Amino acid sequence: MMKAMLLAAGRGERMRPLTDNTPKPLLEVRGRPLIVWHILNLVKAGITNIVINLHYRGEQIQQALGDGSRYGAKISYSLESEALETAGGIAQARHLLGEQPFVCVSADIYCPHFDFEQVKSALQDADMWGKPYAADERDIAWLYMVKNPPHHPQGDFAMNLYTLANQGEPRFTFSGIAVYRPEMFDSIVPGQSAKVVALLREQAQRGLLGGEVYPGPWADIGTPERLAQINAHSLPPV
């Protein structure tokens, strides 16, 4: 059964002063903490085994969510004595995630209608005719992309059909939702800080990075102004 990882260890510097006393994933959007939106949507899709990494004010997140049973989930925590960035945080939690592809979600995005049922079919090991892919032909990650928001007009990757590339057009922005094969993080020693962007660029260069565009409502809660806009029932244009 597919597992999920929610990334919740960051400091949220751009959200200050709101994050001076509250971790960013617990900031409320329309009456519900950001991270709870994701937990409920994961559980709705039957993805109930969830790993959350913690660093900045992590005890508040752990106290708020507990073992996840109130949401129908089973939550495990991966504690970081120092912030390890995305790839480092995943490598640190590797023993909790198992050896099958898992869905990973940034806990500080707002994506209330994302259907996590679709992630279960990502990174299939066979093509549409049922022919198995060779190990060196399989996508190692599948990213859900969105139209470039005003604060990130250049996007992150170009897309040609379902293949992502570092260069080219049209370009889209990574939503913060992805399915990864665990072996993508083999090169990272647990406890080592590492950003995921370098790994993704490497896989895109090899032609092993896949993705699709998510057309629904999405927002990166990057500033107090964006949070206020969403809470005023006006999603930023995407």
Side-chain angles (χ1 to χ4, degrees):
M1 183 175 294
M2 178 174 269
K3 295 184 179 182
M5 181 164 185
L6 295 178
L7 302 170
R11 171 69 174 80
E13 289 287 349
R14 292 180 301 161
M15 289 297 294
R16 297 186 67 185
L18 299 181
T19 52
D20 284 345
N21 297 303
T22 302
K24 191 174 178 180
L26 290 186
L27 294 178
E28 288 201 355
V29 176
R30 299 182 178 177
R32 180 179 289 163
L34 272 169
I35 197 169
V36 173
W37 283 100
H38 299 311
I39 292 171
L40 292 176
N41 282 340
L42 286 164
V43 170
K44 183 178 179 181
I47 302 174
T48 58
N49 198 323
I50 300 171
V51 178
I52 302 176
N53 69 329
L54 300 177
H55 174 60
Y56 177 70
R57 297 194 178 275
E59 70 285 351
Q60 290 187 29
I61 297 174
Q62 197 164 1
Q63 289 170 6
L65 303 179
D67 63 2
S69 57
R70 77 187 74 174
Y71 308 110
K74 179 183 177 182
I75 296 177
S76 303
Y77 296 98
S78 177
L79 308 181
E80 300 176 11
S81 58
E82 59 181 75
L84 299 176
E85 300 287 355
T86 298
I90 292 171
Q92 177 84 351
R94 181 81 178 270
H95 65 289
L96 298 171
L97 292 167
E99 296 304 319
Q100 297 301 314
F102 61 93
V103 61
C104 185
V105 186
S106 296
D108 56 1
I109 61 170
Y110 177 64
C111 198
H113 304 308
F114 189 89
D115 182 2
F116 282 99
E117 192 69 40
Q118 65 188 299
V119 307
K120 298 176 182 178
S121 60
L123 300 186
Q124 293 293 319
D125 288 336
D127 62 21
M128 67 179 67
W129 297 281
K131 179 182 176 182
Y133 289 115
D136 59 354
E137 296 176 336
R138 302 181 309 175
D139 286 332
I140 200 165
W142 188 268
L143 275 55
Y144 292 88
M145 312 298 287
V146 295
K147 292 181 180 178
N148 301 328
H151 62 273
H152 193 57
Q154 73 276 17
D156 295 310
F157 294 98
M159 180 180 291
N160 181 10
L161 294 179
Y162 294 104
T163 299
L164 301 181
N166 293 318
Q167 306 296 329
E169 299 289 341
R171 299 186 67 80
F172 296 90
T173 293
F174 177 33
S175 69
I177 302 174
V179 179
Y180 296 122
R181 295 188 192 278
E183 56 264 33
M184 188 172 113
F185 304 93
D186 281 349
S187 62
I188 303 172
V189 178
Q192 173 187 351
S193 178
K195 295 184 177 181
V196 76
V197 64
L199 295 179
L200 294 176
R201 295 287 179 205
E202 177 185 345
Q203 299 305 329
Q205 188 65 33
R206 296 173 60 199
L208 299 179
L209 190 64
E212 63 187 277
V213 175
Y214 170 66
W218 173 92
D220 169 16
I221 310 297
T223 65
E225 291 74 22
R226 283 185 225 156
L227 178 60
Q229 186 179 20
I230 292 172
N231 278 329
H233 301 283
S234 175
L235 277 172
V238 295

